[in-house]
Amino acid sequence: MNTNTERTNNELEKMKKWGRVLDKITQIAGKIVYVFCIIGGMLILVNMFGFFNTVGLTVDLTCFGHTINFQELSHSLQIAVSLLLIAMLVITCIMVHALVHALRSVFQSIANGRPFEDSVITGFRKAALWIAILGVGNGKIWGLIIAVLCLFLSYVFHYGMLLQQESDETL
């Protein structure tokens, strides 16, 4: 066997191994986020029904730099704010699910030894989109930086796909 072929096979095996590891980490992280979403929703519901008032806990909401004590709002306003928070939580969970799905498709393709195919490129681009939306929604610049890195990786893998196609056609 040719030494270049051996090196290529070794690198492919390393990439497959990392793909499996990253797929598993992404899967676990997604489940952890779902648990936090459920716990967050339950806490909002508990607060909405006024159970926090009986144990002496207070909830402060910060909006546009102003802090509002949740318990000082009227009951109907507390319910409206709680429902809005639940809706935002559900939307965030849906976006996180889409992000996890995009990343898992990337890592599964890599784990299967197919790093230079359209699903990887598309997965990186979808991940960049969801990371950017989640980052902007949270007011964090880091989300945009990570989104740009994912977009950059999509172009790197696209270039790799073109090189792979050229190599396959040459043989």
Side-chain angles (χ1 to χ4, degrees), residues 131-132 134-136 138-148:
I131 291 169
L134 287 166
V136 168
N138 289 327
K140 307 287 184 199
I141 190 72
W142 290 108
L144 291 176
I145 293 170
I146 294 170
V148 168

Side-chain angles (χ1 to χ4, degrees), residues 26-67:
T26 305
Q27 181 182 18
I28 292 168
K31 288 180 181 180
I32 289 171
V33 169
Y34 299 144
V35 168
F36 279 133
C37 286
I38 291 169
I39 291 171
M42 290 171 52
L43 287 173
I44 292 169
L45 286 173
V46 165
N47 188 47
M48 184 170 75
F49 292 116
F51 294 121
F52 282 161
N53 290 338
T54 61
V55 294
L57 295 175
T58 61
V59 178
D60 291 332
L61 303 172
T62 303
C63 184
F64 301 110
H66 300 288
T67 302

Side-chain angles (χ1 to χ4, degrees), residues 114-156:
R114 299 184 318 265
F116 303 116
E117 62 180 26
D118 282 331
S119 66
V120 173
I121 297 160
T122 303
F124 271 126
R125 290 181 181 168
K126 286 180 181 178
L129 172 71
W130 292 118
I131 291 169
I133 291 171
L134 287 166
V136 168
N138 289 327
K140 307 287 184 199
I141 190 72
W142 290 108
L144 291 176
I145 293 170
I146 294 170
V148 168
L149 289 174
C150 282
L151 192 59
F152 176 74
L153 281 174
S154 77
Y155 287 112
V156 169

Side-chain angles (χ1 to χ4, degrees), residues 82-147:
S82 296
L83 292 174
L84 180 63
L85 289 172
I86 289 173
M88 290 170 50
L89 186 65
V90 168
I91 290 169
T92 301
C93 286
I94 290 169
M95 288 190 293
V96 168
H97 175 75
L99 172 61
V100 167
H101 181 69
L103 289 175
R104 289 203 65 210
S105 73
V106 168
F107 299 138
Q108 286 172 350
S109 292
I110 292 172
N112 292 330
R114 299 184 318 265
F116 303 116
E117 62 180 26
D118 282 331
S119 66
V120 173
I121 297 160
T122 303
F124 271 126
R125 290 181 181 168
K126 286 180 181 178
L129 172 71
W130 292 118
I131 291 169
I133 291 171
L134 287 166
V136 168
N138 289 327
K140 307 287 184 199
I141 190 72
W142 290 108
L144 291 176
I145 293 170
I146 294 170

Side-chain angles (χ1 to χ4, degrees), residues 1-11:
M1 196 187 279
N2 179 328
T3 58
N4 284 338
T5 305
E6 288 174 4
R7 278 198 320 233
T8 302
N9 287 337
N10 287 339
E11 291 302 316

